[in-house]
Amino acid sequence: MVQGRTRNDQLAALIDEARWSHGQAASALVRVALENGADELAGVGRSHVSHWVRGTRPSGRSSVLLCEALSRRLGRVVSLEDAGLGTDQQTSELTADWHTDTLTALAALGSVDLDMDRRRALSALTYGVAAAALPSDGWWGQMAERGRHRNTSGGRVGRGDVDAVQDMVAMFSQMDQRRGGGHARATVVQYLSSDVAKHLTGTFHDDQVRRDMFSAASELAYLSGWMAFDNSEHATAQQYFSVATKLAAEAGDAPMAGHILRAMAHQAVDLGHPSRALKIANASVDGPRYVEASPRERALLGVVHARALAAHGDKNKAVAALNRAESDLGAAGPGDNEPRRVFFFSEASLAHETACTLRDIGDLDGAVREFRRSVRTRQASTFTRTHAVTLGYLGSVQVEQGNLDNGCATWSQALDIMDGIRSGRTRQTARDMRAALSPFRRRHVRAAEELDARAAAYLDTTGGLSTR
């Protein structure tokens, strides 16, 4: 014991494994600190490391950078938890810190998310507006440079490894579209935190393979964030979006970064943060994130930008953004070299987001028209989750217009489709149904009572609250 603190045996064991003295550990930390612009740590020496081993908690960014130094030495990612230097709260903070090393943040988040008890604690956290702050303009170039010069010491990574990760991402994405974010996210996280994380510390065949692997990892981290968002685990989603953005930045993949920022803007719109949503959406369509994207992806970025403008009250700009998105999707063709991640975005998806935008600017007739177009053109067996949400939104607008019979018929279709879907958005749709039906239920309108009972049953079976 030293001053009431317990010796940090985990850190001591890692330093021994690295075959470092405390002075050598300090020197390695300083090198990493200077690379990351943490000049304030240039004076760290042997005595500091000795104190940390004895149980004193490192201050500031020291713990994160020490983990990065150990990761480089050992050829694997060392998290704060591995080194006995982090808590769940610190993990949350470092993931959202744009200057924290990418792989350190990924390891820390994965270690929390794969532990059932700690995952529950993480899921209980609320969406943080501060955590949605964007990095500086200069950060993107710095990250691309860091990626090019990242030290690696693991096994060889080639084109076949990239192809395998991309295939797994495509499979998980299709499952999410059919069954919702509440299915199989732990499997996605396990794969990301084990197999893919090892690839990221490997020795790459060439720089293009490195960039493609980091892009594939970025898409997988984004997908985990999207699934968490869809399942109403909003703080978890934010942290995965942050890690995904870092991976995309190290890959120098501007369109992938725009894709993630678009998801972050979507989340902010849904949670009622219009100013934050617009700032992020503006960034998603800025410069190469939009210019270098395929026409289909441009349309996706643009229609979410329109939603953010509508939520912010910028009606005319929202309509202009919708028109541009429509043109971009119309320009998409079979010969485009478009990424597989936009496989879901078609006329039905554009119509869904357009309807949401029109609804939010008060054009209910236009919203009904576009929701119906979305329902009519979607492949419901493939994109089941979004199809159910679209029907739920359409029913809500119909009831708002005073057409209860049509609204109930639409909601009945939505509930038929929701069977087997685990999604926070479908659960919210069921809650919205019950809230809208409440006055009719109290008047003993039979159709309202029957539909309300079905919505309550869906919430009961999927973990939602069904209290009237």
Side-chain angles (χ1 to χ4, degrees):
M1 299 284 290
V2 176
Q3 297 179 343
R5 295 184 175 90
T6 304
R7 173 182 166 85
N8 187 339
D9 291 328
Q10 291 170 260
L11 178 59
L14 287 167
I15 291 174
D16 287 345
E17 185 183 350
R19 297 183 179 180
W20 277 340
S21 67
H22 289 182
Q24 290 171 320
S27 297
L29 185 154
V30 169
R31 285 195 297 273
V32 174
L34 294 177
E35 287 179 20
N36 285 274
D39 296 346
E40 72 276 9
L41 298 180
V44 168
R46 178 188 60 79
S47 62
H48 293 88
V49 177
S50 297
H51 281 301
W52 298 337
V53 169
R54 292 171 187 161
T56 301
R57 178 77 66 180
S59 61
R61 295 169 62 188
S62 302
S63 57
V64 171
L65 295 172
L66 179 57
C67 286
E68 168 62 9
L70 285 163
S71 298
R72 295 183 184 185
R73 176 71 170 183
L74 298 174
R76 67 176 190 275
V77 175
V78 175
S79 69
L80 289 177
E81 183 187 20
D82 293 336
L85 297 174
T87 64
D88 291 355
Q89 183 59 37
Q90 286 173 307
T91 295
S92 175
E93 291 169 356
L94 77 86
T95 307
D97 180 356
W98 294 112
H99 296 288
T100 299
D101 178 74
T102 305
L103 302 189
T104 302
L106 173 60
L109 180 54
S111 68
V112 171
D113 204 14
L114 289 172
D115 182 298
M116 185 60 70
D117 291 335
R118 299 173 73 200
R119 184 194 303 173
R120 290 194 188 99
L122 181 63
S123 299
L125 297 176
T126 59
Y127 178 88
V129 175
L134 295 172
S136 65
D137 290 342
W139 177 86
W140 300 93
Q142 294 168 7
M143 290 295 288
E145 189 69 16
R146 182 184 297 182
R148 282 190 290 270
H149 295 95
R150 179 177 285 282
N151 293 326
T152 56
S153 56
R156 296 286 295 179
V157 179
R159 173 58 52 190
D161 298 305
V162 174
D163 292 343
V165 174
Q166 291 174 336
D167 287 345
M168 292 296 287
V169 173
M171 182 188 72
F172 288 134
S173 296
Q174 290 163 6
M175 177 61 72
D176 168 66
Q177 288 289 338
R178 288 186 59 204
R179 297 299 184 184
H183 277 287
R185 195 177 71 80
T187 305
V188 175
V189 174
Q190 179 67 56
Y191 181 61
L192 174 63
S193 300
S194 56
D195 299 52
V196 177
K198 288 178 183 176
H199 287 323
L200 297 176
T201 62
T203 302
F204 297 98
H205 180 267
D206 55 39
D207 192 59
Q208 188 60 53
V209 169
R210 176 194 67 81
R211 292 180 61 191
D212 290 346
M213 181 58 80
F214 270 72
S215 289
S218 173
E219 187 172 349
L220 192 61
Y222 149 78
L223 178 60
S224 184
W226 181 262
M227 293 172 78
F229 161 49
D230 181 62
N231 204 39
S232 301
E233 302 171 65
H234 292 296
T236 302
Q238 281 188 285
Q239 292 179 45
Y240 276 104
F241 289 153
S242 174
V243 169
T245 304
K246 292 175 183 178
L247 289 163
E250 287 207 35
D253 190 341
M256 183 69 231
H259 192 86
I260 301 159
L261 294 173
R262 176 272 317 173
M264 294 168 64
H266 191 153
Q267 182 185 32
V269 167
D270 278 12
L271 296 180
H273 300 283
S275 296
R276 176 59 55 192
L278 183 56
K279 188 169 292 186
I280 300 172
N282 284 340
S284 76
V285 295
D286 183 50
R289 293 170 211 133
Y290 176 84
V291 173
E292 295 178 11
S294 67
R296 188 177 306 277
E297 190 153 44
R298 289 181 189 175
L300 171 59
L301 302 181
V303 79
V304 175
H305 187 218
R307 286 200 61 187
L309 287 163
H312 198 256
D314 299 328
K315 179 177 179 179
N316 292 336
K317 290 181 180 179
V319 171
L322 286 178
N323 290 334
R324 184 175 70 170
E326 186 88 38
S327 296
D328 282 336
L329 186 60
D336 295 337
N337 183 25
E338 63 184 30
R340 285 194 281 182
R341 62 179 174 264
V342 294
F343 77 101
F344 68 92
F345 193 76
S346 61
E347 179 186 359
S349 301
L350 179 67
H352 172 99
E353 300 296 349
T354 297
C356 289
T357 304
L358 295 175
R359 176 198 62 195
D360 293 347
I361 62 176
D363 182 0
L364 299 187
D365 289 340
V368 167
R369 181 188 67 246
E370 292 300 316
F371 278 135
R372 282 177 171 160
R373 177 162 73 109
S374 181
V375 170
R376 185 176 66 253
T377 57
R378 180 176 287 112
Q379 298 175 17
S381 61
T382 302
F383 305 107
T384 314
R385 184 261 319 278
T386 306
H387 193 60
V389 172
T390 302
L391 285 166
Y393 289 173
L394 172 58
S396 293
V397 175
Q398 288 172 325
V399 171
E400 186 176 351
Q401 288 181 311
N403 197 330
L404 179 63
D405 289 341
N406 282 353
C408 285
T410 301
W411 278 339
S412 182
Q413 293 179 57
L415 288 168
D416 288 342
I417 294 167
M418 283 182 199
D419 184 35
I421 296 176
R422 293 190 176 272
S423 162
R425 285 187 287 169
T426 55
R427 288 194 294 272
Q428 187 58 51
T429 296
R431 294 188 193 100
D432 290 343
M433 287 182 201
R434 302 199 73 215
L437 290 169
S438 178
F440 303 101
R441 188 183 66 236
R442 286 195 293 268
R443 298 205 301 264
H444 301 293
V445 176
R446 183 175 178 180
E449 289 180 328
E450 291 176 351
L451 196 62
D452 179 79
R454 289 185 62 197
Y458 173 74
L459 290 169
D460 283 339
T461 58
T462 58
L465 298 177
S466 61
T467 304
R468 293 185 177 183

